[in-house]
Amino acid sequence: MEVFYLYLFCLFTLFMSLALYFIFYKRNSSSLIGTLPPGKTGWPFIGESFEFLSTGWKGHPEKFIFDRMSKYSSSVFKTHLLGEKAAVFCGPTCNKFLFSNENKLVQAWWPDSVNKVFPSSTQTSSKEEAIKMRKMLPNFFKPEALQRYVGIMDHITQRHFASSWENKSQIEVFPLAKRYTFWLACRLFVSVENPNHVAKFADPFNVLASGLISIPIDLPGTPFNRAIKASNLIRKELLLIIKQRKVDLALGKASPTQDILSHMLLTSDENGKFMNELDIADKILGLLIGGHDTASSACTFIVKYLAELPEIYEGVYKEQMEIAKSKAAGELLRWDDIQKMKYSWNVACEVLRLASPLQGAFREAINDFMFNGFYIPKGWKLYWSANSTHKNPEYFPEPQKFDPSRFEGSGPSPYTFVPFGGGPRMCPGKEYARLEILVFMHHLVKRFKWEKVIPNEKIVVDPMPIPAKGLPVRLYPHQV
């Protein structure tokens, strides 16, 4: 009988323990954890990746964002992108939160497609690679350092227009814009200036860029597969350049400070270790992509909008001709000239708002955290969207209207205009991009007026906005 009562007592104790566990622990943990953001995760593995990418292919990347903002939440919703559970952050408050919590609650993250295209970056975490890269970059991108490159940019730009635009009645803008920005990046990053040498791996770069952010299916014919093949081809060419630079540095034929490549070869880490050639090739590869791809999209859309808006063209033309008339024959642009291009830069900023080359970027939660009452688990991927503010009437009234005056005075509200990101991970090449875009605009309007061949040409986003047919235009040179 005693054994029976002991058994009942044990059962009662176990029952009460379980009851107390569910009453108190579960209640407390649920209040601690909170609720996941609203939304859906779509199909297994694929998630909502196809919808995310296809809205861009159809020319309306903001549709994926705004549809879900309307249906689920205006600030944050959950989804499943590129093989990962993800939360999409929308609006200036979200932008400020992510940008100000870099390496505290979130860190840089790239999809598997990026890590597989840049295989050496998988030896360490994405966070470590990003920190290493930003330490490695010299003061090359700071305004005071860029001042000495204005003349070089002007010289290359003149050569570009002379060889690819002048004496032609019709051209295709996007391929030429890519050629221009790639030529500049090759000259300023690795001191490759010969047009034939630049052209040798320009086409593979285009293939690489189009497959970099894609579903990582490595099958023949997929964008991802083509990107891997293109990256291998470019890497071989860069390794040849790196090996030759080592020889030239040893013989005194190259300067230790002439470009980023020399800096990488001669700079060691805190342990005295130098980067190997493959790591340098990958870093240069990433810089060449970032240094020309986004700017070429911006230059292309500047041509598009100036063709569509004669009054905007006239404002840019007037400003640039005042600068041109102040120069002696053959005199190159200087830093002071760039600072006078205020209206032109406002126009460029409005182009960056309406056709932002950077649609957004990924982060990864490095800790559990709460945001706007929603629980974000450690390991989730976070995507911030430029379009959630750029094309939102709450922050930019009549968002589809082209209005450079938005950028006069103090400009847009903080964290609403984010074409270069923000916080510690703001694009380090922002001033470099500003410089190459303004030099391009100067020589463009000084030489030509133009009109679009295809009035309603479709725009696709893959992963940056580009005209589907490359933006063909008819050129009308100014009479001298």
Side-chain angles (χ1 to χ4, degrees), residues 37 65 69 73-78 86-98 106 361 363 365 369-372 374-376 380-386 388-389:
I65 303 297
M69 286 174 67
S73 167
S74 61
S75 61
V76 57
F77 60 85
K78 71 180 178 185
V88 177
F89 279 55
C90 309
T93 303
C94 291
N95 290 341
K96 181 179 180 180
F97 177 84
L98 290 181
V106 302
R363 298 289 188 270
F369 64 84
M370 298 292 295
F371 178 77
N372 271 18
F374 296 120
Y375 168 63
I376 306 297
W380 269 41
K381 307 307 178 279
L382 314 170
Y383 180 79
W384 64 267
S385 164
S388 73
T389 55

Side-chain angles (χ1 to χ4, degrees), residues 67-123:
D67 283 356
R68 286 155 181 77
M69 286 174 67
S70 174
K71 186 174 182 180
Y72 300 120
S73 167
S74 61
S75 61
V76 57
F77 60 85
K78 71 180 178 185
T79 181
H80 193 284
L81 299 175
L82 306 176
E84 300 283 350
K85 293 178 180 178
V88 177
F89 279 55
C90 309
T93 303
C94 291
N95 290 341
K96 181 179 180 180
F97 177 84
L98 290 181
F99 297 160
S100 60
N101 280 287
E102 189 73 38
N103 299 326
K104 299 173 187 173
L105 295 176
V106 302
Q107 67 182 15
W109 180 82
W110 292 270
D112 277 347
S113 56
V114 175
N115 285 329
K116 289 176 181 176
V117 169
F118 297 94
S120 66
S121 68
T122 61
Q123 295 171 6

Side-chain angles (χ1 to χ4, degrees), residues 365-428:
I366 53 179
N367 290 299
D368 296 348
F369 64 84
M370 298 292 295
F371 178 77
N372 271 18
F374 296 120
Y375 168 63
I376 306 297
K378 177 181 178 180
W380 269 41
K381 307 307 178 279
L382 314 170
Y383 180 79
W384 64 267
S385 164
N387 284 321
S388 73
T389 55
H390 287 190
K391 297 185 178 179
N392 193 325
E394 185 176 347
Y395 312 113
F396 293 96
E398 296 182 85
Q400 296 304 324
K401 179 182 179 182
F402 194 97
D403 182 7
S405 69
R406 302 179 198 271
F407 298 91
E408 294 174 355
S410 58
S413 300
Y415 301 101
T416 58
F417 181 61
V418 287
F420 299 101
R425 289 198 53 77
M426 177 178 281
C427 175

Side-chain angles (χ1 to χ4, degrees), residues 138-157 180 184-191 193 245 255-263 332-336 338 431-433 435-436 439:
N139 293 330
F140 180 89
F141 289 121
K142 291 186 177 179
E144 54 268 29
L146 286 171
Q147 292 185 31
R148 63 180 180 269
Y149 297 111
V150 176
I152 296 173
M153 279 193 174
D154 192 17
H155 175 66
I156 295 292
T157 307
Y180 160 71
L184 278 180
C186 287
R187 169 61 184 86
L188 293 171
F189 296 173
V190 293
S191 297
E193 186 171 344
R245 177 62 61 84
S255 164
T257 58
Q258 73 183 50
D259 55 27
I260 290 177
L261 175 56
S262 283
H263 181 83
L332 295 172
L333 289 170
R334 298 193 309 267
W335 184 256
D336 290 347
I338 301 298
E431 286 299 320
Y432 171 86
L435 192 55
E436 66 181 329
V439 174

